[in-house]
Amino acid sequence: MLLEAVCWTNAILLETDAAKKWVNKWGFLVTERDKIEAEQEKLRNKCRLHTPDHLKVRPASPISKYIQVGPSPPVPKTTQGLIGWRSAIPGLNLEQYKGPRRGKWSFLSQMKWPEDCID
């Protein structure tokens, strides 16, 4: 526990010391960047063209002004609701016989043939 605290304090001291030294070594980069940004802003303002009012883009008008959306009509009845897998009428279900089943007898046993005769 004590060793971790000492390592932590040393790391913090090294970071603060490096932050103090950075300004002396690399601080010129900050001032150069500020100068370049100021020059670019001056050039942007100098070269900016003003568009006439008749060429400016007008604000978009709301869609509700032109398009009116009413309530949706009821869902039409389809044959799926009358006849099919999920039919509303139980007598018209396609799955009347509870799905596929396996036969009790095989063709080979009915003919009394050995099962190894089929590859």
Side-chain angles (χ1 to χ4, degrees), residues 51-115:
T51 56
D53 290 336
H54 69 281
L55 293 178
K56 289 184 180 178
V57 177
R58 288 182 237 139
S61 51
I63 294 175
S64 61
K65 182 177 177 182
Y66 301 104
I67 300 174
Q68 300 295 328
V69 179
S72 298
V75 179
K77 293 192 176 195
T78 60
T79 56
Q80 181 66 28
L82 300 174
I83 300 170
W85 178 54
R86 296 179 176 227
S87 176
I89 303 168
L92 298 177
N93 275 340
L94 292 178
E95 299 292 328
Q96 289 180 359
Y97 303 107
K98 310 283 187 202
R101 296 184 184 197
R102 293 188 68 182
K104 293 181 182 177
W105 302 97
S106 70
F107 179 74
L108 293 177
S109 63
Q110 286 180 354
M111 299 303 289
K112 297 181 183 174
W113 288 350
E115 291 187 18

Side-chain angles (χ1 to χ4, degrees), residues 16 18 21 24 27 42 47-49 52 61-62 67 70 74 84-85 88 97 103 119:
T16 54
K21 290 180 181 177
N24 293 334
K42 285 179 187 175
C47 297
R48 187 168 288 158
L49 295 175
S61 51
I67 300 174
W85 178 54
Y97 303 107
D119 290 336

Side-chain angles (χ1 to χ4, degrees), residues 5-34:
V6 170
C7 287
W8 183 254
T9 54
N10 284 341
I12 291 176
L13 289 174
L14 285 173
E15 281 186 25
T16 54
D17 188 39
K20 289 176 186 174
K21 290 180 181 177
W22 186 90
V23 174
N24 293 334
K25 287 186 175 182
W26 303 102
F28 68 93
L29 292 175
V30 175
T31 56
E32 288 296 321
R33 185 190 70 203
D34 292 342

